[in-house]
Amino acid sequence: MFQSIQNGRIKMVFIIVVLLFFLIVFRVFYIQVIEYEKLNNLASSLWSRNLPVQADRGRILDRNGKVIAGNETTSSLVVIPNQIKNKEEVAKNISEILNADYEEILRHVSKSVSIERIHPEGRNLSYEIAEKINNLGYDGVYLLKETKRYYKYNDVLAHVIGYVGIDNQGLSGLELMYNDYLTGDDGSIKYYSDGKGNKLEMPEIYVSPRSGLDVNLTIDLDLQLVLESELNNAVSKYEAEGAIGIVMNPKTGEILAMSSRPTFEPGNYQNYSVETINRNLAIWKSFEPGSTFKILTLSAAINEGLVNVFDEHFYDSGSIKIAGATLHCWKHQGHGDQTFVQVVENSCNPGFVELGNRLGKEKLFEYIDRLGFGKKTGIDLNGEASGIIFNLDKVGPVEQATTSFGQGVSVTAIQQVAAVGGIVNGGNMYTPYIVSSISEPDTGITIEEFQPKLKSEGVVSKETSELVKYVLESVVANGSGHNAYIEGYRIGGKTGTAQKVGPDGRYMVGNYILSFIGFMPADDPELVIYIAIDGAHGVTQYGGTVSAPIASNVLKSAINLYDIKSDPEGIPKQYEWYETKYFTVPDVINMSKADALKQLAGFTIEYSGNGETVVETSPKAGERIKEGGVVKLMLN
Amino acid sequence: MKKDNILFFGTILLATFGLVMIYSSSYVWAEFKFNNPYKYVISQGIFFIIGIFVMLIVSKINYNFYKEKSNLILLGCFILLVLVLIPGIGVVRNGSRSWFGLGPFGIQPSELSKIGLVIFVSKYLSRNDREKRVTKNFVLPILGMIILFFGLIMLEPDFGTGMIIVMSLIALIFITGTDVSIFVKLGLVGLLGIVGLIIVAPYRLKRITSFLNPWSDPLGSGFQIIQSLYAIGPGGLLGFGFLNSRQKHFYLPEPQTDFIFSIISEEFGFLGIFIVTTLFLLIFYRCIKISLETEDLFAKYLSFGLSFMLIFQTLLNLMVVVGIVPVTGVTLPFISYGGSSLLVSMTMIGIILNIGKK
């Protein structure tokens, strides 16, 4: 055809053009579909300005849901320099309200950034100050919700809780360990701005913050408060250098209360020394336990069938010779002839050296290891110490002897609580723990639950456990622990008086750690308590005089809190002449008046009603009242 | 034969859409610069109305008129291109001395030269058709003239327009059916020329490579393409909707000009892009159809040259906007803001319409 060459080439060009159009359309498709995500994110961050909305940090709650570490809502000042027209005026007014340096604030509002936080002057503003700034009504000046950690009970449970920094980041204790759970996701107010930083008329997008998760503790705040106040009293009364108190449920390992002195206020942690804020003495401090350690020697000897505590006797002359060295009993004249129950009641050192000898070093140290000494208990807290136990190769007769009454070993308070808990809980030893669950704050839904962890079964036999509990109940009823006795309740325990080792490695004169470890009810313990007072002044240096009464007070509160029923089956207390005696009211119902009077000798009797037969008494039979107390009889 | 209505109304539709998009993309800047958001759209609207009349009038002028006056037209273009280089007569806008100021408006002689050169070259090629087997006699003289005009335009400088003119005229020579080897040689010369330009000023290499990875220099040479991608990408399938572009809010500089296509894709998404490109292809198809159907060689070359010029400019603009080729500073015919460009484009369609009537 005419001009066919030209037309052919025109068609060729046309096809190339069409192909190029396809290329372009495909490229647009690629950008809008394949690269959409990437470009959209990049563009979004270009267009939008995020004003952060801080999430609430998760709370730390006690076992009954009481808030120990909560949040306080404050405001934080943020400026968008681009939107501020008169920078000098804004800086002047804000610096006056904040009582801050004008130049400093001017520097903030003039910075060439999209969003500037006035830090630290504009952080954690109170409602009043925030309101004043708000009333200025300046463009580009924003007050954003910020939350601040709030410790309602100040120093209560301080070492366990720890503390947070200015950005609510956990720095120690549970705040640090569970920081990932406690930290929420900050939200934001996102608004769109043009290329010059001005706000665009597009709806703001509010991304609500997600609060951090709550950490629920095994701690009982009420009991904790009692323990705290008892330790405060003791420290001020005895001008003590330090103190430790732990209450644990031996059946589960749950820590119900834990405290130590010196303590600090987490809200003002900067005002305390690093040692004070970072050392949770209840798990960190490793020290010579003294006589509380004898529980281990006793349990081991009974468990191995090496002693009959009721029938065997031991004569204490006041000292015992071991491999040429003379070890003294704390009572210099000696306790004389005693059953082994009395050896424990009297905390007689030579008696325990004898038990140690019967065990031999291998057995003794096997029990030390089995009960968890010399290694961490594994409690869910940071900063736990292992303590120091003699290396078996280095143990000679003297080391074996001192170890059996609690000298020359170094242990932590929590190790003793865990070990005694295992012994009195029928030989089932639980790992102590303090966090029971992690839950969602708004719904209360449990995210993660921590179950009691049985560490070792049968550390001693059930029979041994029963026997040890009985002997230790006897210590409180009749022996050195009598200051822990509570009328009508069964309490077992052991005192300890340990000389402290000075910096030179020698025992310090007149400087002791006075301790008491106890449990209640003695037949089936629900609570194990440990109290240690370090460096008490102006008091007889016995655990029985200083620490046992503190333990008693805490246990009394526990009785009220947990409504523990009194139990008349316990070993009646041996009374000193100066102490008030308590007697059990006998059952006289349906007896004649005369017979009843005989039974009630020693009580003051009051009558009501006419007749010869007793139909009712007040108090009821089985209750214990003071010697000479009033018993009312209803007659018919 | 009747006037091609599809071509006529397709052009009107495209330019109307362009007018709407000029409003959408420019009101932010117009408000900011002139305190009048309608500044650009009114100005373009006036040219559009004039353009419709020009297109109608031109479609009634017999194309043989240009054939007769081709030498005169070329001479006129040459004089204007020289005059515009003289400071005091030519006005500098956006770094190029390529404007005659006429009150608020301006005229670009390089735009006029597009038509002038296509007319002249079409006449030359159709008249010397018998010589086309002899490359030396047929191609070289006209190539020399093309290079002369290209040189003048590069003195302004206006690389985009120069490129469009050169490529369109080469395409025109190509369709005459001449020996293909000359284009291979021309390609090599062009490549050498580019290499030479880069050796002289190495910064040009950066300009070229930045389109491959615009993020290597996000605030410099990569800036415009990144801003363009930020508009195209988030648009997605359906876009943010009319007037809802975000990039026009001072992110994309002068969004009503070279990068108006980004704003279209931001507001109307892939679907909008598909419709707009289809409309361009439709117009091109109608033009090519006219070119194929006419049996007058001059008319064939003229209609092809003009339609290729329009479509090549379109392709170049789109490829820049989507990041396939480096930024060249070429507007989108019928759509981008620019009065003389719109007038020239509509005049071209007018000429093609006239050829189509025969």
Side-chain angles (χ1 to χ4, degrees):
Chain A
M1 200 192 123
F2 187 58
Q3 295 173 351
S4 63
I5 295 174
Q6 283 89 339
N7 286 351
R9 292 224 172 158
I10 289 173
K11 284 172 189 162
M12 203 188 287
V13 170
F14 179 75
I15 287 164
I16 292 169
V17 166
V18 171
L19 288 177
L20 285 173
F21 265 100
F22 273 121
L23 175 67
I24 288 162
V25 170
F26 174 77
R27 169 70 180 162
V28 170
F29 182 78
Y30 180 82
I31 295 169
Q32 290 184 328
V33 176
I34 312 291
E35 291 195 301
Y36 175 82
E37 192 91 8
K38 174 188 148 199
L39 287 170
N40 200 34
N41 288 342
L42 285 169
S44 254
S45 65
L46 177 74
W47 299 328
S48 60
R49 301 287 186 273
N50 281 345
L51 297 171
V53 179
Q54 209 178 21
D56 278 339
R57 188 171 173 79
R59 299 169 300 172
I60 299 178
L61 308 133
D62 90 332
R63 63 187 303 119
N64 299 314
K66 291 179 184 161
V67 179
I68 303 174
N71 296 295
E72 205 174 35
T73 303
T74 60
S75 293
S76 148
L77 185 60
V78 162
V79 293
I80 296 177
N82 255 329
Q83 298 178 0
I84 297 177
K85 288 169 195 98
N86 190 338
K87 299 198 194 308
E88 284 78 12
E89 185 195 321
V90 170
K92 184 173 159 286
N93 283 319
I94 287 179
S95 62
E96 273 170 17
I97 291 171
L98 294 181
N99 207 3
D101 184 34
Y102 165 75
E103 294 294 327
E104 187 66 18
I105 301 296
L106 185 64
R107 197 176 55 76
H108 282 299
V109 300
S110 315
K111 231 177 190 178
S112 69
V113 292
S114 59
I115 296 177
E116 171 75 351
R117 193 183 274 277
I118 311 282
H119 173 92
E121 299 90 343
R123 299 293 295 276
N124 293 328
L125 301 178
S126 70
Y127 177 76
E128 290 73 27
I129 289 184
E131 193 62 18
K132 272 189 204 169
I133 293 173
N134 208 20
N135 286 342
L136 293 176
Y138 286 125
D139 285 340
V141 175
Y142 295 88
L143 286 155
L144 299 178
K145 178 201 159 212
E146 196 170 53
T147 78
K148 188 188 175 189
R149 208 40 155 174
Y150 176 57
Y151 302 100
K152 187 178 173 191
Y153 301 97
N154 297 319
D155 59 355
V156 168
L157 204 66
H159 285 109
V160 171
I161 299 285
Y163 52 89
V164 297
I166 186 143
D167 292 316
N168 268 350
Q169 75 282 29
L171 294 179
S172 92
L174 294 175
E175 296 276 25
L176 174 64
M177 279 188 77
Y178 290 86
N179 194 43
D180 288 350
Y181 289 108
L182 290 165
T183 306
D185 292 331
D186 287 350
S188 62
I189 299 169
K190 179 184 273 193
Y191 72 88
Y192 288 98
S193 80
D194 66 19
K196 297 186 187 298
N198 303 306
K199 202 166 156 183
L200 286 181
E201 294 301 319
M202 284 193 219
E204 290 172 351
I205 297 169
Y206 178 71
V207 180
S208 57
R210 190 186 60 78
S211 301
L213 298 173
D214 285 346
V215 171
N216 303 295
L217 305 183
T218 59
I219 295 288
D220 185 325
L221 181 63
D222 292 324
L223 196 63
Q224 178 75 24
L225 289 170
V226 170
L227 179 65
E228 299 276 2
S229 94
E230 286 298 327
L231 292 191
N232 282 344
N233 289 344
V235 168
S236 64
K237 186 172 170 189
Y238 303 120
E239 294 165 33
E241 293 165 28
I244 294 172
I246 300 174
V247 183
M248 185 188 88
N249 179 350
K251 295 181 174 201
T252 55
E254 291 167 290
I255 301 291
L256 296 167
M258 176 183 275
S259 183
S260 58
R261 297 290 176 276
T263 186
F264 68 102
E265 290 183 21
N268 298 308
Y269 71 92
Q270 305 92 331
N271 302 341
Y272 298 85
S273 72
V274 178
E275 287 80 10
T276 302
I277 58 179
N278 284 348
R279 290 177 183 171
N280 182 358
L281 297 184
I283 60 169
W284 180 85
K285 190 180 173 70
S286 153
F287 55 99
E288 200 170 72
S291 304
T292 52
F293 201 68
K294 288 170 181 166
I295 296 172
L296 179 136
T297 314
L298 173 71
S299 307
I302 294 174
N303 205 44
E304 293 295 318
L306 299 172
V307 63
N308 182 333
V309 288
F310 297 107
D311 299 336
E312 277 188 72
H313 284 250
F314 177 79
Y315 185 82
D316 171 29
S317 63
S319 67
I320 188 168
K321 270 199 180 330
I322 298 290
T326 307
L327 299 172
H328 289 280
C329 189
W330 59 271
K331 191 176 179 182
H332 271 271
Q333 61 273 39
H335 289 100
D337 179 59
Q338 319 154 83
T339 65
F340 271 95
V341 172
Q342 286 169 317
V343 165
V344 183
E345 285 174 2
N346 295 331
S347 198
C348 172
N349 287 354
F352 279 92
V353 172
E354 171 61 22
L355 292 180
N357 275 337
R358 292 187 188 181
L359 281 162
K361 69 173 186 179
E362 276 80 13
K363 277 285 169 215
L364 180 62
F365 277 77
E366 186 196 313
Y367 276 90
I368 287 174
D369 183 62
R370 190 190 289 183
L371 287 162
F373 292 101
K375 53 199 175 206
K376 294 176 180 179
T377 62
I379 189 171
D380 48 352
L381 287 172
N382 279 332
E384 194 187 357
S386 311
I388 305 159
I389 302 297
F390 284 120
N391 192 323
L392 198 56
D393 310 333
K394 304 260 166 63
V395 178
V398 177
E399 286 78 16
Q400 179 194 298
T402 59
T403 301
S404 47
F405 59 85
Q407 283 185 16
V409 288
S410 181
V411 303
T412 63
I414 194 69
Q415 281 173 339
Q416 297 191 64
V417 170
V420 170
I423 292 168
V424 301
N425 189 41
N428 292 332
M429 188 171 158
Y430 281 87
T431 302
Y433 73 105
I434 207 155
V435 175
S436 60
S437 66
I438 307 290
S439 63
E440 218 274 322
D442 300 327
T443 58
I445 291 168
T446 302
I447 308 285
E448 200 172 340
E449 199 163 2
F450 302 97
Q451 301 293 343
K453 241 178 14 212
L454 183 60
K455 191 176 196 177
S456 34
E457 228 170 320
V459 285
V460 292
S461 71
K462 225 171 154 42
E463 293 70 32
T464 306
S465 176
E466 292 300 324
L467 211 52
V468 171
K469 283 190 288 189
Y470 179 82
V471 173
L472 293 178
E473 187 182 357
S474 166
V475 169
V476 171
N478 307 318
S480 55
H482 67 274
N483 276 337
Y485 191 81
I486 300 171
E487 191 56 45
Y489 292 88
R490 300 183 62 174
I491 291 164
K494 183 75 196 77
T495 59
T497 305
Q499 239 177 323
K500 283 161 69 183
V501 179
D504 56 356
R506 305 170 78 112
Y507 284 116
M508 296 196 281
V509 178
N511 200 339
Y512 297 89
I513 292 177
L514 310 175
S515 61
F516 176 82
I517 191 156
F519 50 92
M520 176 180 82
D523 54 331
D524 184 20
E526 304 273 355
L527 302 172
V528 171
I529 182 168
Y530 180 80
I531 300 289
I533 304 297
D534 181 4
H537 292 89
V539 66
T540 325
Q541 296 289 317
Y542 291 126
T545 32
V546 173
S547 296
I550 297 173
S552 170
N553 287 343
V554 175
L555 292 178
K556 274 178 198 153
S557 300
I559 289 169
N560 284 331
L561 284 172
Y562 304 132
D563 205 15
I564 296 172
K565 294 279 172 288
S566 74
D567 182 354
E569 296 298 310
I571 304 170
K573 187 178 179 181
Q574 269 194 5
Y575 288 98
E576 305 288 337
W577 57 270
Y578 51 82
E579 288 175 320
T580 314
K581 291 178 182 133
Y582 286 79
F583 292 98
T584 308
V585 175
D587 187 358
V588 295
I589 288 169
N590 292 330
M591 280 189 191
S592 69
K593 193 174 162 186
D595 286 344
L597 277 178
K598 262 184 228 162
Q599 290 282 326
L600 292 168
F603 293 107
T604 309
I605 312 295
E606 286 176 11
Y607 302 99
S608 68
N610 295 314
E612 284 301 312
T613 318
V614 180
V615 290
E616 187 70 76
T617 64
S618 171
K620 286 187 166 46
E623 289 189 31
R624 288 172 72 85
I625 61 169
K626 277 181 202 165
E627 184 177 24
V630 176
V631 178
K632 286 183 187 168
L633 298 182
M634 196 183 213
L635 301 172
N636 198 350
Chain B
M1 209 198 256
K2 258 190 81 216
K3 151 178 124 235
D4 187 334
N5 275 325
I6 295 178
L7 180 55
F8 179 76
F9 289 110
T11 306
I12 301 283
L13 184 62
L14 200 55
T16 308
F17 179 69
L19 203 57
V20 170
M21 282 318 294
I22 281 169
Y23 170 69
S24 176
S25 58
S26 74
Y27 72 87
V28 174
W29 279 93
E31 167 92 61
F32 175 70
K33 271 181 156 171
F34 305 106
N35 219 7
N36 174 11
Y38 305 106
K39 166 90 180 164
Y40 291 109
V41 73
I42 287 171
S43 160
Q44 184 81 356
I46 291 166
F47 274 102
F48 178 49
I49 292 162
I50 296 169
I52 293 172
F53 286 110
V54 169
M55 184 162 69
L56 284 170
I57 293 163
V58 169
S59 72
K60 298 206 185 321
I61 297 171
N62 189 316
Y63 64 82
N64 283 312
F65 171 74
Y66 316 115
K67 195 174 175 181
E68 286 159 25
K69 303 284 181 211
S70 67
N71 291 344
L72 202 63
I73 291 169
L74 191 70
L75 185 68
C77 289
F78 181 79
I79 292 167
L80 287 174
L81 281 174
V82 173
L83 280 178
V84 82
L85 293 175
I86 299 166
I89 302 173
V91 182
V92 178
R93 280 193 199 168
N94 297 331
S96 298
R97 192 176 295 280
S98 57
W99 297 81
F100 290 121
L102 280 178
F105 306 121
I107 289 179
Q108 284 179 287
S110 52
E111 288 289 331
L112 291 174
S113 310
K114 285 179 178 174
I115 300 179
L117 278 162
V118 172
I119 292 169
F120 183 84
V121 173
S122 297
K123 185 188 144 194
Y124 172 85
L125 293 176
S126 58
R127 197 173 265 178
N128 298 296
D129 195 48
R130 264 165 296 169
E131 300 270 355
K132 69 182 172 197
R133 303 283 165 223
V134 191
T135 305
K136 200 175 81 179
N137 296 345
F138 182 67
V139 179
L140 286 189
I142 196 70
L143 215 51
M145 194 219 61
I146 292 169
I147 289 166
L148 172 70
F149 275 83
F150 180 69
L152 276 174
I153 292 168
M154 284 305 286
L155 283 176
E156 295 179 356
D158 185 350
F159 178 73
T161 308
M163 178 93 162
I164 290 162
I165 290 172
V166 170
M167 289 306 290
S168 302
L169 298 181
I170 287 174
L172 202 46
I173 296 167
F174 172 74
I175 63 146
T176 59
T178 186
D179 191 3
V180 178
S181 68
I182 179 72
F183 300 104
V184 177
K185 286 172 193 157
L186 277 176
L188 283 174
V189 170
L191 211 62
L192 282 174
I194 291 170
V195 171
L197 284 171
I198 290 170
I199 290 168
V200 170
Y203 77 88
R204 289 196 176 109
L205 184 64
K206 200 173 153 196
R207 176 79 62 86
I208 293 166
T209 52
S210 77
F211 86 91
L212 293 171
N213 181 16
W215 277 272
S216 63
D217 187 12
L219 294 177
S221 49
F223 181 75
Q224 282 181 305
I225 185 65
I226 287 176
Q227 297 306 323
S228 174
L229 292 176
Y230 282 175
I232 299 170
L237 192 64
L238 298 172
F240 289 134
F242 182 54
L243 297 182
N244 290 337
S245 155
R246 283 151 198 188
Q247 283 295 87
K248 69 187 175 197
H249 290 277
F250 305 116
Y251 290 110
L252 192 59
E254 307 263 350
Q256 72 278 15
T257 60
D258 299 359
F259 284 89
I260 196 165
F261 189 73
S262 325
I263 305 296
I264 296 173
S265 76
E266 189 180 4
E267 297 195 346
F268 296 103
F270 182 75
L271 200 66
I273 291 312
F274 190 76
I275 292 169
V276 172
T277 47
T278 306
L279 205 49
F280 269 110
L281 260 183
L282 177 73
I283 289 170
F284 183 59
Y285 169 73
R286 297 307 295 192
C287 293
I288 290 298
K289 196 163 170 281
I290 288 167
S291 181
L292 287 172
E293 283 168 3
T294 185
E295 292 183 357
D296 175 15
L297 207 51
F298 170 69
K300 189 183 287 290
Y301 291 164
L302 181 60
S303 55
F304 174 82
L306 294 176
S307 48
F308 185 84
M309 200 166 249
L310 284 172
I311 210 68
F312 182 75
Q313 186 174 342
T314 305
L315 283 172
L316 196 56
N317 175 272
L318 298 189
M319 290 199 281
V320 165
V321 168
V322 302
I324 301 176
V325 300
V327 176
T328 40
V330 170
T331 57
L332 185 60
F334 306 112
I335 297 197
S336 284
Y337 174 76
S340 54
S341 169
L342 181 65
L343 274 184
V344 167
S345 299
M346 292 180 88
T347 304
M348 289 176 175
I349 297 294
I351 294 168
I352 296 166
L353 282 170
N354 179 262
I355 294 167
K357 280 182 187 169
K358 292 284 141 61

